Amino acid sequence: MTTNPQLVTVITAVHAPSAPFLVEAYESLRSQELPAGWDWQWVIQEDGATDIVTQAIPDDPRISFGQGRPGGPGVARTMGMARAEGAYLKVLDSDDILTPGALARDLAVLTTHPDVGWTTSRALDLLPDGTTKGFDLDPEDGPIERGAVFRHWQANDYRPQVMPASMCARTDLVVALGGWMALPASEDTGLLLALNTVSRGWFTREFGLYYRKWPGQVTALPAHTDKGERGTRAAIAEARVRALEALSGWRFPAMGG
């Protein structure tokens, strides 16, 4: 993989039911204002192979579209990562919307803080009636120390401290960790926990994402709340963290951190 130091790759997994939302996601991406000399690439990977999604892809040369066997959003994103050309990797779920300035804020942190490997931001739930709902338990603006996300996740019934759907990270760091976990859900939380195990992060209190709530989203499906499956997902995510703590011997940056 070759990376462009002034390119951010936005990576999106999509399945047929969420294809109609790609238009709004694209508009929020197209309206982003980036620093001079910067651009974005949008890697869209379908979880499956349907004409429905193919026909929904906007006509823009900055878009790279791929399809493959269904395996869930984590598998789709990791497969799409093979086409990532940017030094930075931004998550955008197919049914979500970036707020104005979201990409610029992420890049400002990652380009001025070389010891920070990833960022997240506040998110607003976008409800079916068009209204939004926020949270009042977000951390303060600024760095998140290594291990803090995992400790919060353990102490709060496996709920992450920050929104993984708003994550932006250094591409080489995501690649080194193997990308998203091959889980039916919580695959993004698993990656976030791994990132925070080896690297400091950064939280931006300015809203960076509208997180759409609708009946067809993967996290709304019955299996997502099944206690047995949820416990299994948590167990493997924790095992990954423990292995990184005990076996890897490396941190980001390579020296110090």
Side-chain angles (χ1 to χ4, degrees):
M1 294 175 62
T2 59
T3 55
N4 181 335
Q6 288 190 294
L7 184 72
V8 56
T9 295
V10 179
I11 192 159
T12 296
V14 61
H15 66 330
S18 62
F21 297 119
L22 283 173
V23 173
E24 289 182 80
Y26 172 64
E27 290 302 327
S28 75
L29 178 55
R30 192 174 65 166
S31 64
Q32 295 292 307
E33 295 185 4
L34 297 180
W38 283 79
D39 203 353
W40 53 260
Q41 170 203 24
W42 194 14
V43 170
I44 305 174
Q45 182 72 23
E46 182 179 357
D47 182 29
T50 67
D51 290 339
I52 294 174
V53 172
T54 301
Q55 295 167 4
I57 303 301
D59 182 16
D60 191 311
R62 295 172 290 183
I63 295 175
S64 170
F65 174 58
Q67 296 173 306
R69 290 181 294 176
V75 171
R77 291 192 203 100
T78 301
M79 290 292 289
M81 191 168 60
R83 306 194 304 278
E85 299 174 4
Y88 305 94
L89 203 59
K90 174 69 173 179
V91 178
L92 177 60
D93 288 346
S94 55
D95 49 2
D96 290 344
I97 299 171
L98 296 173
T99 65
L103 287 185
R105 290 189 291 272
D106 289 332
L107 293 174
V109 171
L110 292 171
T111 56
T112 58
H113 296 276
D115 61 325
V116 170
W118 55 274
T119 69
T120 55
S121 64
R122 295 180 79 189
L124 283 168
D125 278 353
L126 178 59
L127 305 179
D129 63 1
T131 60
T132 59
K133 180 181 178 181
F135 304 90
D136 58 2
L137 298 176
D138 292 308
E140 293 301 315
D141 193 284
I144 297 178
E145 298 303 324
R146 284 195 300 107
V149 175
F150 178 62
R151 291 189 294 271
H152 183 278
W153 179 79
Q154 277 194 309
N156 291 272
D157 194 30
Y158 306 133
R159 300 185 187 282
Q161 180 184 23
V162 292
M163 172 64 80
S166 68
M167 186 188 73
C168 186
R170 300 180 188 275
T171 301
D172 55 359
L173 187 55
V174 176
V175 172
L177 291 170
W180 286 263
M181 299 189 78
L183 297 173
S186 304
E187 76 293 331
D188 51 359
T189 298
L191 175 57
L192 178 65
L193 293 172
L195 285 167
N196 185 232
T197 302
V198 301
S199 168
R200 297 174 85 206
W202 191 280
F203 183 74
T204 301
R205 284 191 61 85
E206 191 165 351
F207 290 107
L209 186 73
Y210 291 107
Y211 181 74
R212 191 186 304 272
K213 308 284 281 188
W214 62 289
Q217 65 187 136
V218 173
T219 52
L221 301 179
H224 184 71
T225 56
D226 178 81
K227 291 183 178 179
E229 182 191 289
R230 187 163 178 257
T232 300
R233 297 197 311 265
I236 191 60
E238 179 171 349
R240 187 188 197 187
V241 168
R242 299 298 186 192
L244 285 169
E245 289 176 333
L247 302 176
S248 71
W250 65 273
R251 296 288 182 266
F252 177 85
M255 300 297 293

